[in-house]
Amino acid sequence: MIRFSKVRSESFTGIDDNDLERGFLIMCGIFGIMTKRTDIPIAKLIREGLQRLEYRGYDSCGLAMANNGTIEVRKKAGKIADINKDGLFDSMQGQYGMGHTRWATHGPPIDKNSHPHLDCKNKVAVVHNGIIENYQQLRKELTARGHTFRSDTDTEVIPHLIEESLAKGISFKDSVREAIKYLTGAYGIVVMHADTPDFMIVARKESPLTIGIVPGETCFAASDIPAFLPLTRQALILDDDEMALLYKGKVEIFNVITGKPRTPKPFQVQWSIDAAQKSLDGVEYKWFMHKELHEVPRKIKDQLRVPQEQLDAFAKTVMAAEHVYITAAGTAFYACLAGKFQITKFGGPYIEALLCSEFRDALPTMPPKSCVIAVSQSGETADTIEAVRYAREKFGAKVCSVVNVQGSSITRYSDNVIITAAGPEMAVASQKAYCTQVTALTIVALRIAELKGTVPKADVAKYRVALEKTVDVTNEILKNEDKIKQLAETLAKKQNFYFLARGLSLAAACEGALKLKEISYNHAEAYAAGESKHGPIALIEKGFPVVFVAPPDETYDRLIGNVQEMKARGGTIISVVAEFDTKITEMSDYTIRVPIDNDKYAIAMSAVPFVFPLQIMAYFASDFNKLDPDKPRNLAKSVTVK
Ligand code: M6R
């Protein structure tokens, strides 16, 4: 008999289970243990390992333990420490098990969407980190064949697919392999079977999966090394399309597609836990901020997968409104500036951007049929919440939000939500959140263009391809980050900076200046370049650094005039230009060259590629100035006071 322990049915978000959408996951922590030892508290070790992975996500969690042919699952929304306060997880019994700490990106973090997930017979348990893109189709087919689903997640199709093969008498190993062949998308999974006590199975594609080994005794499966670091320092990294059988101290690896085995060659991990948490793809970063900057390309890639129905609902609400406002604070507000520009440029409505702290004062009244787009990493910024509630409760405005934390307050006051794919951002200074916010709003802009027919369909497709290319462009920028580092070190001691740009790039200038200010403590102001001669230029003297964000778009020729004005007065010109740029390059003392294609599609998608080097520059300036970029003075990650 299997016990399926659903601990509490209501959600901590207050959202009713019936209102649920699906539950995708992008960044989560998974941890499993298969061991010979009977003298260790396995459930407690899993729980502790998961806590070391909470930097990957922490909105809900769960454990599955196999105990003499049964699987018990305990799972719940909330943080591990709170849920385990009375030993809910630590008291679980069993010979082997696994757990999951979740960061939901689509669908609220509630008990039933927490992992692990089971098949109908409660014999197979799965934890998953990633996105199964074709889950709706699979779920439809499985449901038609009599399977019952207990969650809204994409993940749950996996145990049911395995169950189908097992029912045909196929071995556990081959059933998992079969199931994987049906999946499109990204996954790192751990699978255990109640009646197969000798091994558990792991597999990966695009999502990370590491294995820890105590030879002849124990194997660990984890989405990252910190989970098992106090237990073993011998590790293996699974490659894409590989599957491994984890026995009690022995690993068998083979390729899912070819079936070809690979001899496991464990390496010795030298890192501390802290260093391991700050590591990515085997590289150890000194600060979370640096690691998170290196996550930007993959986070943009994840962001490109906004589910169509979410995107359509969002775009249609914006299109149906007669007056559209966009609001946020800080970096999120600069994402609004870029988003507003793109939506209007591609034929969407004119949008008024208002700082959330100014919102109600700027709008003592709001016209009917208004829509407010709110952008927030945390979803808990008090000023943004106030603006949203003011518009919604006083004037009946529709609210569309772009938020990184599923289930946060702003999502609860919204009619439509797009969840950004940044995952948890540990550094106080936002960077990957900004890049995903701008990407999400650009996707909305392109969808509106498509729905309204303001841009030919073929062109929308080309803009979309160019947007997808920002993944490669940001990767290239990172490969050359040493050049940005050199420049940052040259400039790090300068006391004052101007950041100037026009049009879309004004957002990048504002974000670049804010980043430098908040983590490197240099005084930096951003202006619309055309505005600079109306006052700011008075400060320019020999050596005053002026950063120009200068993509070769429709503003380029006019920007040249502004560069000349600053140069003529002795300003040191630092410009962010396209790789193929010549004119502004010749006028500049320093350039940061962005490897975009020389066509109108790539140029229109310059918002992220041209801001990213400035975020990197701020990071290196901060490090050079011996500051802590993760926890800058006087700042909090989430500002929950008005
Ligand atoms: O969580 P939110 O995106 O709503 O936060 C808004 C601002 O407080 C935030 O962007 C702040 O400006 C960051 N420190 C920027 O790096």
Side-chain angles (χ1 to χ4, degrees), residues 329-333 375-381 384 410 428-431 437 511 514-515 518 635-639:
T331 282
F333 181 70
V375 179
S376 175
Q377 186 285 128
S378 61
E380 300 296 347
T381 298
T384 316
I410 292 174
V428 163
S430 172
Q431 8 73 32
Q437 286 161 353
E511 165 63 0
L514 178 68
K515 216 84 307 169
E518 66 177 340
L635 297 180
K637 185 70 187 158
S638 172
V639 183

